[in-house]
Amino acid sequence: MKYTFHESLYRGHGTMERLADYPITVCGAGALGANLTETLARCGAKNLIVIDRDRIEEVNLSTQPYELDEVGVMKAVSLSRMLYRAVGSEITAEAKELNAQSVGKLLKSADLVVDCFDNSTSRALVTDYCKERNLDCLHVGMADGFAEVIWNEHYRVPSERQDNICDYPLARNLVTLAVAVACEAILKFIASETRHNWSITLDDLAISCLAMR
């Protein structure tokens, strides 16, 4: 029995076939990117690339799917190995920095780019690259007890003042909620090209579809 048996019953054969083949590039393998990549792979996505230049730190372990004995390993490489062991998924790990020189090479294979970066510079590069090429792009971000899932045409890159990379409050449950919403947004887009933008607030456990012009 395939590991996607239950997912297939819910989604339908056609959606599962599209998901398996759809080229998705996830930018970032931190709290959002790593968990989202894992969820997509376990749902049946097989054409996945994950980009991240960072190594695993112990502080990552509460919100990211890595293990204590992996501290110091490149995040993208660890994620690739873990998902191969878990479900036989052969995702492509790009343990590289996405910058102005590399963005074109790193994103060239994607039909859908998912931006889960934690800094405004990288988010701006992804936003502009996808906009210029009319490439589908979904942004997933968090701040304090709030998260958002926004398609590129409605997205605004956050201020650099929010790039508090080293020391910031973050609850695992907010990560989990944001990843679930983002994955569902991706699956609905692949199934029917439906696009919805979402906000998530942890304090009141509210998930709201955003009406945007």
Side-chain angles (χ1 to χ4, degrees), residues 36 38 45 77 83 91 93 95 116 120 126 132 145 159-160 166 171 178 180 183 187 191:
L36 180 58
E38 179 183 8
V77 172
L83 291 173
I91 74 169
C116 297
S120 57
V126 172
E132 289 166 5
S159 165
E160 291 182 6
C166 296
C183 187
L187 289 167

Side-chain angles (χ1 to χ4, degrees), residues 99-112:
N99 54 36
Q101 290 71 46
S102 65
V103 60
K105 183 177 181 180
L106 291 173
L107 299 185
K108 69 178 181 180
S109 300
D111 281 3
L112 173 64

Side-chain angles (χ1 to χ4, degrees), residues 60-199:
N60 302 143
L61 301 183
S62 69
T63 58
Q64 302 175 27
Y66 305 117
E67 299 179 6
L68 187 59
D69 63 0
E70 293 181 299
V71 169
V73 176
M74 302 299 294
K75 290 183 177 181
V77 172
S78 170
L79 193 59
S80 176
R81 292 171 179 169
M82 181 265 284
L83 291 173
Y84 181 77
R85 292 193 304 268
V87 293
S89 181
E90 297 182 4
I91 74 169
T92 300
E94 294 285 2
K96 300 173 182 176
E97 179 180 5
L98 187 145
N99 54 36
Q101 290 71 46
S102 65
V103 60
K105 183 177 181 180
L106 291 173
L107 299 185
K108 69 178 181 180
S109 300
D111 281 3
L112 173 64
V113 176
V114 187
D115 165 31
C116 297
F117 280 134
D118 60 4
N119 67 91
S120 57
T121 300
S122 298
R123 286 187 180 274
L125 283 170
V126 172
T127 300
D128 293 343
Y129 179 88
C130 292
K131 189 174 294 184
E132 289 166 5
R133 288 156 183 80
N134 199 29
L135 180 61
D136 294 314
C137 177
L138 183 68
H139 301 269
V140 191
M142 300 180 297
D144 296 323
F146 172 79
E148 64 178 11
V149 177
I150 307 288
W151 289 96
N152 207 37
E153 55 266 33
H154 300 292
Y155 184 68
R156 298 293 179 269
V157 178
S159 165
E160 291 182 6
R161 292 191 298 273
Q162 298 184 39
D163 290 354
N164 215 357
I165 295 173
C166 296
D167 187 14
Y168 54 89
L170 180 59
R172 179 177 177 84
N173 285 342
L174 180 63
V175 175
T176 304
L177 287 169
V179 166
V181 172
C183 187
E184 199 60 29
I186 291 166
L187 289 167
K188 281 183 167 54
F189 171 74
I190 291 172
S192 63
E193 296 191 354
T194 302
R195 296 172 184 257
H196 292 299
N197 302 298
W198 300 90
S199 70

Side-chain angles (χ1 to χ4, degrees), residues 15-56:
T15 295
M16 295 302 292
E17 279 196 331
R18 287 192 290 274
L19 174 63
D21 295 334
Y22 210 89
I24 303 172
T25 296
V26 180
C27 298
L32 290 170
N35 286 295
L36 180 58
T37 302
E38 179 183 8
T39 302
L40 286 168
R42 289 181 182 273
C43 284
K46 298 183 184 299
N47 195 353
L48 286 166
I49 297 172
V50 61
I51 303 167
D52 197 290
R53 67 176 184 179
D54 291 337
R55 295 181 182 274
I56 300 164

